[in-house]
Amino acid sequence: MSSHMASSSNGGNGSGDSGAPRRNSKRPKYSKFTQQELPACKPILTPRWVVSAFLIIAIVFIPIGIACLLGSRDVVEVVKRYETDCIPLENRTSRVQYIQSSANKTCTISMTIPKNMKKPIYVYYQLDNFYQNHRRYVKSRSDKQLKSLGNEDDTSSCKPEDTAVGGGPIVPCGLIAWSMFNDTYNFSRLNQPLSVNKKGIAWKSDKQKRFGKDVFPKNFQRGGLQGGAILNDTIPLSEQEDLMVWMRTAALPTFRKLYGKIEVDLQANDVINVTLANNYNTYSFNGKKKLVLSTTSWIGGRNDFLGIAYLTVGMICLALAMGFTVVYFIKPRRLGDPTFLSWNRGPGSQ
């Protein structure tokens, strides 16, 4: 009898303590952070808020897009493709054999200036279908060797252009330097030469930090097969800006690289004669070569993409704002009571 009553009392105590916290519970300790009850901005997206937001975006983006387009259109640009015109007619069926031969590859082209071009006028060469972003090509260089004379033997990442035929390291080594662009341009106007300034075309950080003042070309283009340009052995790499420009590999197969600057004004309808040496072999991979003369504006070179992108987004937002406004007035929808939202209710409300 006593044992039965004891068990009954124990059971009663257990049921009476059901409100107490369980010792083995895995429930985390209560806090506003874990329960996402911290103060926060929780806007209610009413039609007026949505329409106002789209209108503000349109009002900001459309003028920016127009300004970017006008800045881009202020740039005067002249482009001349020449890789086919500079091949003699009798050699156009065997272009690779011609470019690899020892024949004279001097060529003359003309460029007509459509509008006045204010100095400085930037001279670029453009290559199409040249994949400088290929993984093996990008890795084929030695930054340590470019920077310091003491690391001229660091050519492990430069294969196959790491060692000269007679032995010794190639400086600068690697496929990037080996394939350096080597077409040259000489400009004239009214039979008067136009000088091209090739100083100041490389990044300042490259000249000061990435290319050493005590590093000189050594055994360059002596790896068995000549690729592109031949560097002057008496000039340190820190002063060879053509090399620095070329060594900054492009992300896309169509790219432009700065060749130099013409520091005189060109007038509309001026005819610029260009005597060039068509040395660079783009025919093996069906590449294209173009010569570009361009000015700049506050936005940089000619690039309509940024302006078009801003205008597109602005016009879409304007159209959405107008559409939502029409729908709101023609077929309005009654809004719910915001007091029933969970964050507006008290802790004891249901």
Side-chain angles (χ1 to χ4, degrees):
M1 183 69 176
S2 60
S3 62
H4 176 72
M5 293 181 65
S7 61
S8 299
S9 63
N10 290 338
N13 292 336
S15 60
D17 295 340
S18 59
R22 298 171 59 185
R23 294 181 180 178
N24 296 327
S25 175
K26 295 183 179 179
R27 179 184 299 174
K29 183 180 179 180
Y30 172 80
S31 70
K32 290 187 177 182
F33 178 77
T34 58
Q35 297 304 317
Q36 300 182 13
E37 295 179 358
L38 291 174
C41 178
K42 299 175 181 177
I44 301 173
L45 297 179
T46 62
R48 291 183 180 180
W49 273 102
V50 173
V51 171
S52 300
F54 280 128
L55 278 177
I56 290 173
I57 295 174
I59 292 172
V60 172
F61 275 46
I62 290 176
I64 293 177
I66 294 174
C68 290
L69 274 181
L70 292 177
S72 178
R73 297 298 169 85
D74 285 341
V75 175
V76 182
E77 186 175 281
V78 186
V79 181
K80 179 68 175 182
R81 179 180 171 184
Y82 65 88
E83 85 281 347
T84 300
D85 294 341
C86 286
I87 296 289
L89 291 175
E90 63 272 15
N91 296 111
R92 291 187 180 178
T93 57
S94 56
R95 298 181 300 174
V96 176
Q97 289 79 1
Y98 170 79
I99 203 68
Q100 292 177 344
S101 69
S102 58
N104 182 16
K105 303 179 182 67
T106 302
C107 172
T108 301
I109 60 175
S110 62
M111 306 175 74
T112 302
I113 307 302
K115 299 179 181 179
N116 293 340
M117 300 181 74
K118 299 295 183 180
K119 63 180 181 181
I121 299 166
Y122 295 91
V123 181
Y124 299 91
Y125 56 88
Q126 177 176 320
L127 297 180
D128 294 4
N129 202 36
F130 191 114
Y131 289 83
Q132 271 198 318
N133 59 352
H134 191 282
R135 181 180 62 87
R136 291 190 63 187
Y137 184 87
V138 172
K139 292 176 63 177
S140 185
R141 62 185 294 163
S142 174
D143 289 325
K144 291 182 179 179
Q145 185 198 65
L146 296 173
K147 188 175 182 180
S148 174
L149 177 62
N151 294 317
E152 72 171 19
D153 293 325
D154 184 10
T155 61
S156 58
S157 60
C158 294
K159 293 181 180 180
E161 292 298 318
D162 55 343
T163 306
V165 173
I170 297 175
V171 182
C173 67
L175 289 173
I176 302 178
W178 173 80
S179 60
M180 180 179 166
F181 189 77
N182 63 340
D183 283 6
T184 59
Y185 310 105
N186 292 298
F187 298 85
S188 63
R189 177 181 57 175
L190 300 175
N191 295 323
Q192 298 296 320
L194 288 173
S195 60
V196 178
N197 183 9
K198 304 191 72 173
K199 295 293 184 181
I201 62 174
W203 289 22
K204 186 177 180 180
S205 59
D206 286 348
K207 292 188 287 186
Q208 294 181 351
K209 298 180 179 180
R210 300 187 66 181
F211 291 81
K213 297 180 180 179
D214 59 345
V215 182
F216 292 81
K218 181 179 179 182
N219 297 323
F220 190 65
Q221 299 292 7
R222 297 177 187 172
L225 179 64
Q226 181 175 336
I230 297 177
L231 300 177
N232 191 332
D233 294 347
T234 63
I235 301 177
L237 297 187
S238 61
E239 297 180 15
Q240 305 217 25
E241 298 192 36
D242 283 336
L243 174 66
M244 300 178 199
V245 172
W246 180 257
M247 293 288 284
R248 282 203 167 268
T249 53
L252 299 175
T254 297
F255 58 87
R256 293 178 180 179
K257 292 186 180 290
L258 186 59
Y259 180 83
K261 294 177 286 186
I262 297 176
E263 296 181 330
V264 296
D265 294 341
L266 299 180
Q267 306 302 319
N269 299 319
D270 278 353
V271 177
I272 307 301
N273 295 313
V274 186
T275 303
L276 61 90
N278 182 31
N279 297 318
Y280 201 70
N281 181 12
T282 58
Y283 308 100
S284 298
F285 52 89
N286 295 320
K288 302 174 184 177
K289 292 191 287 188
K290 297 176 183 178
L291 177 62
V292 181
L293 302 180
S294 177
T295 59
T296 58
S297 66
W298 63 269
I299 199 173
R302 169 164 287 187
N303 186 356
D304 293 340
F305 173 78
L306 189 61
I308 292 173
Y310 271 108
L311 277 177
T312 301
V313 174
M315 296 301 293
I316 290 175
C317 290
L318 181 61
L320 290 173
M322 295 175 63
F324 285 148
T325 302
V326 171
V327 171
Y328 177 68
F329 283 107
I330 292 179
K331 193 176 180 181
R333 178 182 176 185
R334 182 176 176 273
L335 296 178
D337 188 352
T339 59
F340 286 97
L341 294 173
S342 60
W343 55 83
N344 288 332
R345 289 184 296 174
S349 61
Q350 297 294 329

